Amino acid sequence: GAFHSVIRILPGGDHYHDFLSKLDTIANFVKTKLVDKNGNLIPVIFRPWHEADGSWFWWGYHNDAQNTADDIKKLYQTTVYYLKDNKGIHNFLYAFSPDCGGSSEIDDYSDIYPGDSFVDIIGTDCYLSPNRGGSFLQTAMDKVIQTAQSKGKIAALTE
């Protein structure tokens, strides 16, 4: 049945503090392990909640957990805000990377887009198959590039 998985880890949810503990683990790892020999933080492309437009992850849209687009946006925003502002992680480039052809079309990604201030890279995860050839990938990437350019972001094939 429906259990609204994402809302449970957002502020006010019954697993919010558990979620923050997981983000604390990420922050501690970054600050202690992702440093160069001089102790400087190494830049990292961080891709939280990838393919959130699909139904195959518990944080996804269009799934049995009945996560709403607003839930998914808040999850991404909460993650970025907490890591940047609460934990001082400033070496992440945040990648927003929905699937290239899952439950929604790239034109519908705006439903779950967390906002320009939370995203540095706009990408897509795209697996090719006999039904998804090079022209499918080219079309998907054309849309990603157009969207990224319109927002002043970096475009990427993220998986």
Side-chain angles (χ1 to χ4, degrees):
F3 59 98
H4 299 273
S5 57
V6 168
I7 204 167
R8 296 183 72 191
I9 63 172
L10 292 175
D14 61 327
H15 287 281
Y16 177 60
H17 294 290
D18 297 328
F19 175 55
L20 294 185
S21 176
K22 301 292 186 195
L23 293 179
D24 289 340
T25 299
I26 292 169
N28 291 334
F29 178 81
V30 170
K31 288 181 175 182
T32 61
K33 304 293 184 191
L34 297 181
V35 294
D36 66 17
K37 64 182 179 179
N38 297 319
N40 300 310
L41 292 172
I42 297 169
V44 174
I45 297 171
F46 187 57
R47 191 172 56 116
W49 317 116
H50 71 112
E51 300 174 22
D53 58 313
S55 62
W56 43 91
F57 292 119
W58 61 264
W59 61 83
Y61 198 28
H62 307 293
N63 68 12
D64 290 340
Q66 296 185 358
N67 299 314
T68 67
D70 194 47
D71 295 339
I72 294 165
K73 284 191 273 194
K74 286 180 182 174
L75 176 60
Y76 196 103
Q77 292 165 348
T78 299
T79 301
V80 173
Y81 173 77
Y82 187 78
L83 289 173
K84 272 187 178 179
D85 296 343
N86 288 32
K87 303 310 286 185
I89 303 298
H90 298 289
N91 58 314
F92 278 179
L93 291 173
Y94 290 89
F96 174 72
S97 55
D99 183 68
C100 68
S103 300
S104 62
E105 294 300 320
I106 197 161
D107 297 332
D108 297 327
Y109 291 172
S110 61
D111 290 350
I112 62 168
Y113 184 69
D116 291 344
S117 62
F118 297 92
V119 174
D120 301 300
I121 299 168
I122 295 176
T124 190
D125 295 358
C126 196
Y127 290 90
L128 300 183
S129 68
N131 297 332
R132 286 181 164 184
S135 63
F136 181 86
L137 177 59
Q138 184 63 56
T139 299
M141 287 309 301
D142 287 346
K143 291 178 181 179
V144 166
I145 291 165
Q146 179 182 11
T147 302
Q149 286 178 341
S150 74
K151 296 178 174 298
K153 305 296 179 184
I154 300 165
L157 177 59
T158 48
E159 184 176 322

